[in-house]
Amino acid sequence: MAERDLRTGDPQLDRVMAEFKANSRELSDVMGLVGDVSGEAASPDGKVRVRVTASGQLTGLRIDPRAMRLGSQELAEAILEASRRATEDAARHVMEVTRPYL
């Protein structure tokens, strides 16, 4: 279905509406790019690897079998630290993606 070019007869209002339409399209494009962003990080020893979305939601967790030798508190701290660093990584990627639009 073709999109109609609606005109109000008021040149200023038509200009504002055209700008709004262009900005809406651009915002939609940026949101799509941000939605594709993820962040990743690993514990310093590499036994825990984490992947998160741009909003920090955990989407991947790999625990090396050798990590099972860690105490539960140490393993939990490694997971949380890797998750925090992955979220920071995702935030950096979001800034890279959105910088041209800001």
Side-chain angles (χ1 to χ4, degrees), residues 32-62:
L33 293 172
V34 168
D36 293 337
V37 168
S38 66
E40 297 183 16
S43 61
D45 62 8
K47 293 178 183 173
V48 173
R49 295 188 175 279
V50 173
R51 180 181 302 121
V52 299
T53 64
S55 65
Q57 180 181 358
L58 186 66
T59 59
L61 174 63
R62 188 182 72 70

Side-chain angles (χ1 to χ4, degrees), residues 5-97:
D5 186 22
L6 299 176
R7 300 208 185 271
T8 66
D10 180 338
Q12 186 173 1
L13 182 56
D14 289 344
R15 181 186 55 78
V16 169
M17 287 175 58
E19 287 176 7
F20 177 77
K21 189 175 183 180
N23 289 340
S24 295
R25 205 172 306 117
E26 191 172 282
L27 178 60
S28 178
D29 293 345
V30 170
M31 294 307 293
L33 293 172
V34 168
D36 293 337
V37 168
S38 66
E40 297 183 16
S43 61
D45 62 8
K47 293 178 183 173
V48 173
R49 295 188 175 279
V50 173
R51 180 181 302 121
V52 299
T53 64
S55 65
Q57 180 181 358
L58 186 66
T59 59
L61 174 63
R62 188 182 72 70
I63 301 174
D64 186 291
R66 295 171 295 160
M68 302 313 284
R69 295 184 190 121
L70 301 173
S72 62
Q73 185 62 37
E74 191 176 359
L75 179 57
E77 289 172 5
I79 293 169
L80 289 172
E81 177 63 18
S83 179
R84 183 189 62 74
R85 289 181 37 235
T87 301
E88 290 172 354
D89 183 49
R92 278 191 297 276
H93 291 300
V94 167
M95 286 305 296
E96 290 169 7
V97 166

